[in-house]
Amino acid sequence: MDVVALGELLIDFTENGMSAQGNPLFEANPGGAPCNVLAMLSRLGHKTAFVGKVGQDFFGQQLEKAIREVGIDASGLRRDPEVHTTLALVHNTPDGDRDFSFYRNPGADMMLREDELPEPLIKEARIFHFGTLSMTHEGVRQATKKAIRIAKEAGALISFDPNLREPLWNSLEDAKEQVLYGLGQCDILKISDNEIQWLSGEQDFDAGVRWIRARFSIPLILVSMGRDGSRAYYQDKIVEVKPFLQPTTIETTGAGDTFCACVLHYILLHGLQELTETDLWVMLRYANAAASIITTRKGALRVMPKPEEIKQLLDNAAL
């Protein structure tokens, strides 16, 4: 198994126009950052598996069907008969960012227990990927930490994307504690511009990475900077690549996950040892291109870009 991810699988209700009465219309898209990452990796030809929990309801059925359709192994997906599938409403703000409203008090993704982990599946992973939405509550937090231990003991690389969603935490201090735990476990960190500024208190990203490195030894750190592109920090190397801005961008949901998946794709092919500046440039350019394509579509998980689409965009940009 190339990549196993643990975390949230939920319904993203994304805005999709207005009704005749002037009410906003929402489309029920399958979502959740870990599965978005896996969907892109599956599109790139990798074997992927998801570990998490949904409700034994219509939305849970829809989500299981969706991840199976895109090639994700769903044998680690559990169904909760008592708690409904988690829902998120995604509002697009005028500045192009997003605002999230969650229906998760509780939601099924919070209910995963340690004894429900598919240990043999986790042990097969070359890379184990997780975020912090499975760290917000004690039960699923312990399940996440156990899964990380299993993966590390089996020799997997650990990939971490904080994916901070402030409304889901009792306090940002609680969030910071769990993000710091994740930093202490990972070999590959994908962190967004606003997250690294919040965590480190540094507005400059280089200074933010120095803050992280003073506390944790993480071989590869990626900073996604939205419309400003992305950076990779590896040993003493810093490589920045400009974004591919799309005139037809409609929303950014899934862009960071697509970017993260393409980085993991590169590491699966080339490893994490002795990466050159050229390697990092190639990796970031590919990831930026794929992320830009997904911004032109609604519902990231089901519509990840195909390798030939990414190649075409890169070829056209090189002309």
Side-chain angles (χ1 to χ4, degrees):
M1 187 63 64
D2 291 324
V3 182
V4 174
L6 181 149
E8 71 279 7
L9 177 59
L10 46 78
I11 296 291
D12 276 333
F13 283 99
T14 53
E15 293 176 310
N16 194 10
M18 303 290 285
S19 73
Q21 291 79 30
N23 298 315
L25 297 174
F26 288 85
E27 182 176 356
N29 287 303
C35 273
N36 287 340
V37 171
L38 295 180
M40 184 67 228
L41 284 162
S42 294
R43 183 74 92 178
L44 293 170
H46 296 288
K47 293 180 66 176
T48 66
F50 176 69
V51 178
K53 184 174 274 194
V54 293
Q56 198 163 305
D57 50 27
F58 169 76
F59 288 128
Q61 295 171 15
Q62 177 187 343
L63 290 168
E64 181 172 356
K65 180 181 178 184
I67 65 171
R68 290 186 186 277
E69 283 178 356
V70 300
I72 300 169
D73 183 327
S75 62
L77 181 66
R78 306 295 182 239
R79 301 282 289 274
D80 195 306
E82 297 179 359
V83 179
H84 290 302
T85 300
T86 300
L87 310 177
L89 270 70
V90 187
H91 308 272
N92 294 320
T93 59
D95 62 359
D97 205 348
R98 296 158 300 153
D99 184 36
F100 293 85
S101 300
F102 290 91
Y103 289 79
R104 188 189 189 235
N105 192 26
D109 72 293
M110 297 161 45
M111 310 309 288
L112 184 70
R113 304 188 309 269
E114 291 183 58
D115 62 358
E116 294 177 307
L117 293 174
E119 295 193 22
L121 183 66
I122 296 170
K123 289 178 181 177
E124 291 178 17
R126 294 174 59 195
I127 295 177
F128 179 83
H129 178 74
F130 73 108
T132 61
L133 268 70
S134 63
M135 308 284 281
T136 57
H137 294 78
E138 185 61 26
V140 69
R141 180 184 303 159
Q142 294 308 315
T144 303
K145 292 183 176 182
K146 181 177 179 180
I148 294 167
R149 290 195 300 272
I150 294 168
K152 286 174 79 79
E153 288 170 5
L157 292 173
I158 307 298
S159 167
F160 176 50
D161 176 1
N163 194 33
L164 182 69
R165 296 289 178 259
E166 185 176 345
L168 296 180
W169 293 92
N170 291 329
S171 74
L172 283 177
E173 283 305 308
D174 289 345
K176 182 170 287 190
E177 180 181 346
Q178 299 310 318
V179 170
L180 292 174
Y181 169 83
L183 297 182
Q185 302 300 314
C186 69
D187 304 289
I188 303 164
L189 169 67
K190 181 268 171 193
I191 190 166
S192 68
D193 45 9
N194 61 312
E195 288 168 346
I196 196 169
Q197 290 171 336
W198 161 75
L199 179 67
S200 69
E202 300 283 357
Q203 293 304 299
D204 178 77
F205 304 138
D206 292 352
V209 170
R210 286 195 296 271
W211 185 94
I212 291 173
R213 282 179 161 175
R215 293 158 176 80
F216 305 98
S217 178
I218 303 172
L220 179 61
I221 299 176
L222 299 310
V223 179
S224 58
M225 306 183 297
R227 294 180 62 87
D228 294 322
S230 60
R231 288 183 193 169
Y233 297 81
Y234 178 80
Q235 296 175 348
D236 60 347
K237 303 174 182 69
I238 302 174
V239 176
E240 180 173 332
V241 175
K242 293 180 180 179
F244 292 80
L245 298 179
Q246 297 276 4
T248 53
T249 287
I250 52 176
E251 63 168 279
T252 58
T253 300
D257 305 326
T258 306
F259 171 89
C260 182
C262 290
V263 168
L264 298 184
H265 167 65
Y266 192 90
I267 299 304
L268 286 165
L269 295 180
H270 302 282
L272 197 55
Q273 303 298 317
E274 299 179 10
L275 297 175
T276 66
E277 288 191 4
T278 299
D279 293 332
L280 298 171
W281 182 85
V282 169
M283 178 184 71
L284 291 182
R285 190 166 180 266
Y286 192 90
N288 285 0
S292 78
I293 293 171
I294 205 64
T295 69
T296 67
R297 303 170 181 176
K298 287 183 179 291
L301 189 148
R302 268 205 171 111
V303 292
M304 287 296 176
K306 299 175 182 177
E308 53 267 31
E309 292 178 287
I310 303 170
K311 182 179 185 301
Q312 183 179 10
L313 177 57
L314 291 171
D315 288 347
N316 290 341
L319 297 176

